Amino acid sequence: MSHLQQPLFNPNRKYQHLFFDLDHTIWDFEMNSKATLAELYDTHQLGEKGIDDFELFFERYNEHNNRLWDKYHKGFIKQDELKWKRMWLTLLDFKIADEPLSREMGQAFLTILPTKTNLFPYTFEILDYLTERQYDLHLITNGFEATQRKKLVNSKLDGYFKEMITSETSNSLKPSKDIFDYAFTKTNALPEKSIMIGDNLDADIQGGINAGIDTVFVNHINAQPHIKATYEITHLKMLEDIF
């Protein structure tokens, strides 16, 4: 039976509460961060400071950002350190040891980034599809509270999600079971009726496993998974085959 023939609401269906990750899952962090860094590169005249290759600058930033986010996920560093050190370490790669500039760029990055609105293909269509079928949609994100809320508003995603659980409000991080327990309490969701949908195997998929719920690995980049999710998709439209 195709999804067009399915009833809009089935009280006996397997899932009711769908917990989405935001960055890299529906909101295109890579594209939006690149546009933000391009603005900062021009504003701070980094080309005149010796960084004559923006693509290399972006590549180095991504390397440091990913490594620091991994440390943040694991609780080894705090938010403030992540926010400015990714800039500091990137500038150091180009022999620019300027902490005030790093902190200024780190703050400006968080101001500009949530104004960007690039989403993965089929984001609105799948959220409309799921909303029409009366699923309860929520977000669980390790991103910063104020930044994530601005992303939702500017991208016109805020109307789709009933609750947004962040690491700040829950005082815990994916993949900790604690953030999921907080989410279940906040949303009145039963774990057996819940599922986690995200792109990060270590945070989203392992987090869902830790919480005892099913998972969907959103594999936009066709990565080789080292953790087994309940479902794996390579395009958001494929969620229609699950729900």
Side-chain angles (χ1 to χ4, degrees):
M1 182 183 291
S2 74
H3 72 258
L4 293 176
Q5 297 171 302
Q6 292 172 1
L8 296 187
F9 178 73
N10 177 3
N12 298 316
R13 63 190 175 191
K14 189 170 185 180
Y15 307 109
Q16 179 57 39
H17 292 269
L18 313 187
F19 292 94
F20 278 84
D21 174 54
L22 181 60
D23 296 337
H24 304 283
T25 298
I26 56 177
W27 193 82
D28 194 337
F29 186 90
E30 180 92 0
M31 188 177 292
N32 292 322
S33 65
K34 188 171 188 177
T36 301
L37 283 170
E39 281 193 38
L40 294 176
Y41 181 89
D42 291 338
T43 300
H44 294 279
Q45 301 178 318
L46 297 185
E48 298 177 14
K49 291 181 169 68
I51 307 176
D52 56 5
D53 186 339
F54 171 74
E55 292 296 332
L56 180 59
F57 175 73
F58 179 62
E59 178 185 314
R60 294 290 174 83
Y61 171 84
N62 267 341
E63 290 173 3
H64 292 301
N65 184 53
N66 291 337
R67 187 168 53 81
L68 289 171
W69 266 103
D70 184 60
K71 286 188 173 184
Y72 178 62
H73 284 155
K74 294 173 180 174
F76 295 142
I77 62 172
K78 300 294 186 183
Q79 283 183 21
D80 182 64
E81 189 174 351
L82 167 63
K83 289 176 182 179
W84 75 273
K85 273 202 171 174
R86 53 191 175 185
M87 295 296 179
W88 164 255
L89 293 170
T90 303
L91 292 175
L92 275 183
D93 283 347
F94 297 91
K95 298 181 170 51
I96 300 173
D98 190 333
E99 183 175 330
L101 176 61
S102 302
R103 290 186 177 275
E104 181 181 348
M105 287 179 63
Q107 186 55 53
F109 181 84
L110 290 177
T111 299
I112 298 169
L113 181 67
T115 68
K116 305 302 180 186
T117 58
N118 294 294
L119 305 174
F120 281 100
Y122 212 71
T123 290
F124 287 118
E125 290 88 345
I126 196 61
L127 294 177
D128 284 335
Y129 168 90
L130 295 170
T131 299
E132 182 184 356
R133 278 150 184 77
Q134 300 177 41
Y135 285 99
D136 294 311
L137 309 183
H138 314 288
L139 287 166
I140 301 183
T141 168
N142 284 348
F144 309 126
E145 177 84 18
T147 303
Q148 300 301 70
R149 291 205 178 277
K150 288 175 185 174
K151 288 177 186 176
L152 291 179
V153 171
N154 290 327
S155 299
K156 296 180 171 53
L157 293 172
D158 52 317
Y160 289 101
F161 298 99
K162 294 190 174 182
E163 296 288 349
M164 180 176 76
I165 291 86
T166 68
S167 52
E168 288 178 88
T169 56
S170 65
N171 199 31
S172 54
L173 285 160
K174 294 178 293 185
S176 170
K177 184 175 181 291
D178 293 345
I179 192 169
F180 289 91
D181 288 341
Y182 179 92
F184 298 148
T185 300
K186 182 88 171 172
T187 61
N188 292 315
L190 296 173
E192 59 268 25
K193 284 284 191 179
S194 302
I195 191 167
M196 180 68 207
I197 303 165
D199 73 289
N200 190 301
L201 287 164
D202 297 305
D204 302 316
I205 306 309
Q206 187 59 55
I209 292 169
N210 293 344
I213 64 175
D214 285 353
T215 56
V216 179
F217 175 37
V218 184
N219 192 1
H220 288 299
I221 60 173
N222 287 304
Q224 184 62 40
H226 58 275
I227 297 171
K228 177 67 173 173
T230 313
Y231 309 94
E232 180 177 340
I233 64 171
T234 55
H235 191 286
L236 292 174
K237 183 173 174 56
M238 294 170 69
L239 289 173
E240 294 176 0
D241 298 327
I242 303 172
F243 305 109

